[in-house]
Amino acid sequence: MSEPWPTELRISKDRKNMVVTFDTGVSFDLRAEMMRVLSPSAEVQGHGPGQKITVPGKRNVGIKAVVATGNYAVRIAFDDGHDSGIFTWRYLFELGERGDALFTAYEQELAEKGLSREPKIR
């Protein structure tokens, strides 16, 4: 069986969500905050086991741009300046299927570390 292939990527008017529709007929409404804090980038995931970073303060982050990367992924630029995550079609599908559980685990990490989803007030 082949990997699900996206047929449409659509950014919401407020830039806080991206709807990804796959050739299987399933669509996922992915929040920008979730994609930002679960970014596959080395900045978030680290360069090896145990190096993952828990990124706080991204509740209001938006999507600045989505750029195709070859025929297998997109690079998403967020309005907080983060733009190094390359989101493969497989990873976007995984975020659609498991995003709620992954985000719940992220919120638990924040609580354990005394961090918040709220941006720092300057």
Side-chain angles (χ1 to χ4, degrees), residues 7-73:
T7 57
E8 181 181 25
L9 300 175
R10 188 175 62 245
I11 308 301
S12 64
K13 288 183 195 271
D14 67 0
R15 320 263 326 149
K16 303 295 185 197
N17 294 67
M18 181 172 75
V19 175
V20 184
T21 302
F22 288 89
D23 60 359
T24 59
V26 68
S27 288
F28 299 111
D29 190 351
L30 305 176
R31 292 189 328 256
E33 178 188 11
M34 177 186 68
M35 291 187 293
R36 171 60 179 93
V37 302
L38 299 175
S39 171
S41 69
E43 179 184 322
V44 174
Q45 299 301 324
H47 293 281
Q51 294 184 350
K52 186 174 184 302
I53 304 296
T54 304
V55 181
K58 301 301 176 185
R59 181 185 293 273
N60 299 321
V61 74
I63 298 167
K64 185 175 175 182
V66 177
V67 179
T69 302
N71 65 353
Y72 68 98

Side-chain angles (χ1 to χ4, degrees), residues 30 85 88 104 108:
L30 305 176
T88 64
T104 296
Q108 289 171 346

